[in-house]
């Protein structure tokens, strides 16, 4: 397996109220990928946690846009980050494969983002979402270039400039995380920001919440992990929502 170049800052979109969900997300990475390269940068308003080698807490504004731009403030445009919204968590990750994909992408000047979970519109309507030309890496993995922001909320690596561009151009007032789904489509993805997805899928993620309610799968996974849930997450919505099939 190729080694990864150093530690990767994992930018977490979350807020205090979602802390149990964030703890679960971080725990799932530790359990599935004990030697993962990520240092999670977790924003908080009042609920600060204790910094460790793998988690750094940052006082951040209450608004979504302000939070992300604040977390990115000291990161160089070309630096690779791992973008992880708290609304997703890993269920299955073939870590050797994912390590070599990330490692290769980070050494490739022509790549600005790589998603290794191919699902939903990137799988079902490629004519709309992907460029037709295929790109192969040295190991024979096939990458497809993404045309827009489809599946931008799934955990993936990208250069900081891509995320900064997206959030800089979102409106200052974002009413909810759900609203970002539509708002992102008003922001043009720059053609020079080249985002790819692997032709094959190499991850399964679970959705944590839907419209503010905890999903059945996330509820069961959190209860199983021993993390305490606040009262507002004690009524799951009965839905199992996963992304990607291995």
């Amino acid at each position: 397996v190729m080694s990864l170049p150093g530690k990767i800052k994992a930018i977490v979109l979350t807020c205090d109220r979602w802390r149990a969900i964030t703890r679960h997300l971080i725990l799932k990475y530790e359990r599935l990928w004990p030697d993962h390269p990520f240092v999670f940068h977790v924003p908080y308003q009042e609920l600060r946690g204790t910094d460790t080698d793998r988690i750094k807490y940052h006082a951040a504004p209450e608004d979504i846009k302000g939070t992300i731009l604040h977390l990115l403030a000291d990161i160089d445009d070309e630096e690779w980050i791992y973008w992880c919204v708290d609304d997703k968590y890993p269920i299955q990750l073939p870590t050797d494969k994912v390590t070599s994909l990330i490692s290769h992408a980070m050494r490739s000047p022509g790549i600005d983002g790589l998603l290794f979970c191919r699902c939903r519109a990137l799988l079902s309507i490629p004519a709309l979402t992907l460029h037709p030309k295929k790109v192969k890496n040295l190991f024979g993995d096939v990458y497809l270039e993404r045309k827009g922001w489809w599946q931008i909320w799934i955990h993936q690596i990208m250069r900081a400039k891509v995320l900064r561009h997206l959030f800089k151009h979102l409106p200052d007032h974002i009413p909810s995380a759900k609203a970002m789904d539509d708002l992102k489509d008003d922001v043009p993805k720059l053609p020079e920001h080249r985002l790819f997805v692997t032709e094959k899928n190499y991850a399964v993620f679970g959705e944590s919440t839907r419209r503010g309610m905890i999903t059945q799968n996330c509820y069961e996974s959190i209860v199983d992990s021993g993390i305490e849930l606040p009262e507002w997450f004690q009524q799951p919505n009965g839905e199992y929502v996963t992304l990607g099939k291995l």
Side-chain angles (χ1 to χ4, degrees):
V1 173
M2 285 177 81
S3 64
L4 286 162
K7 290 282 177 212
I8 302 169
K9 292 173 184 143
I11 303 297
V12 185
L13 175 57
T14 187
C15 62
D16 289 359
R17 191 177 164 85
W18 257 239
R19 181 56 57 85
I21 303 265
T22 305
R23 284 180 60 200
H24 172 245
L25 147 74
I26 292 171
L27 182 70
K28 289 295 287 186
Y29 274 100
E30 283 176 0
R31 289 195 174 164
L32 288 169
W33 192 355
D35 57 346
H36 73 69
F38 308 123
V39 178
F40 293 95
H41 288 251
V42 178
Y44 71 93
Q45 288 74 50
E46 280 141 36
L47 190 63
R48 186 174 183 153
T50 309
D51 283 4
T52 66
D53 289 350
R54 288 188 153 187
I55 309 174
K56 305 286 179 232
Y57 290 93
H58 297 264
E62 295 213 352
D63 66 294
I64 294 174
K65 177 176 178 173
T67 290
I68 295 303
L69 292 178
H70 178 75
L71 291 176
L72 292 172
D74 299 329
I75 300 178
D76 182 80
D77 262 354
E78 298 301 323
E79 186 175 327
W80 283 94
I81 56 169
Y82 191 64
W83 166 229
C84 49
V85 180
D86 65 358
D87 196 41
K88 311 277 184 286
Y89 64 92
I91 294 176
Q92 285 177 285
L93 280 178
T95 53
D96 284 359
K97 187 69 194 174
V98 170
T99 300
S100 77
L101 289 167
I102 290 178
S103 181
H104 171 260
M106 287 176 73
R107 292 179 168 88
S108 306
I111 296 181
D112 297 306
L114 181 66
L115 173 63
F116 40 85
C117 179
R118 188 174 176 210
C119 63
R120 295 194 174 168
L122 293 177
L123 185 62
S124 58
I125 35 176
L128 174 70
T129 59
L130 299 168
H131 292 290
K133 189 172 172 248
K134 297 183 176 188
V135 180
K136 258 191 189 172
N137 74 11
L138 306 166
F139 314 105
D141 300 302
V142 177
Y143 297 158
L144 304 165
E145 189 168 355
R146 293 137 66 189
K147 289 180 181 175
W149 300 119
W150 286 280
Q151 270 56 73
I152 199 70
W153 312 126
I154 301 180
H155 299 181
Q156 57 195 286
I157 58 157
M158 61 180 73
R159 295 184 197 267
K161 63 186 176 187
V162 177
L163 197 58
R164 192 171 353 234
H165 170 79
L166 173 58
F167 274 86
K168 255 188 181 163
H169 293 87
L170 287 174
D172 289 339
H173 176 67
I174 299 171
S176 67
K178 179 79 190 131
M180 295 196 302
D181 256 354
D182 295 330
L183 294 170
K184 75 178 186 332
D185 297 330
D186 297 331
V187 179
K189 183 193 84 63
L190 300 178
E192 63 268 29
H193 288 176
R194 301 190 60 196
L195 307 181
F196 292 86
V197 62
T198 50
E199 184 175 46
K200 287 187 181 156
N201 176 57
Y202 293 109
V204 179
F205 288 101
E207 263 189 32
S208 310
T209 60
R210 281 224 143 165
R211 289 177 280 286
M213 277 186 82
I214 191 166
T215 56
Q216 191 69 34
N217 47 285
C218 184
Y219 176 81
E220 290 173 13
S221 183
I222 289 187
V223 168
D224 184 50
S225 74
I227 291 170
E228 206 174 318
L229 277 168
E231 64 202 76
W232 55 86
F233 283 138
Q234 285 176 7
Q235 288 297 313
N237 67 3
E239 287 183 79
Y240 290 89
V241 189
T242 58
L243 303 135
K245 285 192 178 74
L246 288 185

